[in-house]
Amino acid sequence: MSYETVLEQVKAAPEACLEEISSIIRYVVYRYQQDRAKDIQPSLQLEAAMQEALQICDDSSVEGYTDLNALFADLNR
């Protein structure tokens, strides 16, 4: 079905139905967005980076930071 067909159907609907049609359209768009969000999977590179970050968090030999300014100072050296 094309936008033009849907538009013609909406134009032919009684004005009293427009609020209900609008609600239905919002719901359909919402469901589409929810379904698309489920399909998004992290890339293998991102997944590997997240695993590495978790390993670093558990490694007591890795220097950590509790001060954001100190972190950026070290990064800028």
Side-chain angles (χ1 to χ4, degrees):
M1 184 177 286
S2 69
Y3 284 111
E4 291 80 19
T5 303
V6 173
L7 185 56
E8 289 305 316
Q9 290 176 349
V10 170
K11 286 180 179 180
E15 192 169 332
C17 298
L18 293 181
E19 186 61 39
E20 185 176 1
I21 292 169
S22 179
S23 295
I24 292 167
I25 291 170
R26 281 193 303 271
Y27 175 73
V28 169
V29 170
Y30 166 79
R31 285 291 309 270
Y32 174 78
Q33 290 169 341
Q34 295 299 310
D35 289 345
R36 293 275 301 150
K38 292 177 189 174
D39 292 339
I40 298 173
Q41 298 294 323
S43 68
L44 294 177
Q45 183 180 11
L46 175 59
E47 191 170 342
M50 292 185 328
Q51 288 298 326
E52 182 180 358
L54 289 173
Q55 290 171 353
I56 290 170
C57 286
D58 293 335
D59 188 346
S60 60
S61 68
V62 176
E63 181 182 359
Y65 294 90
T66 57
D67 182 346
L68 192 58
N69 291 328
L71 169 68
F72 280 111
D74 280 353
L75 288 173
N76 290 327
R77 277 194 238 176

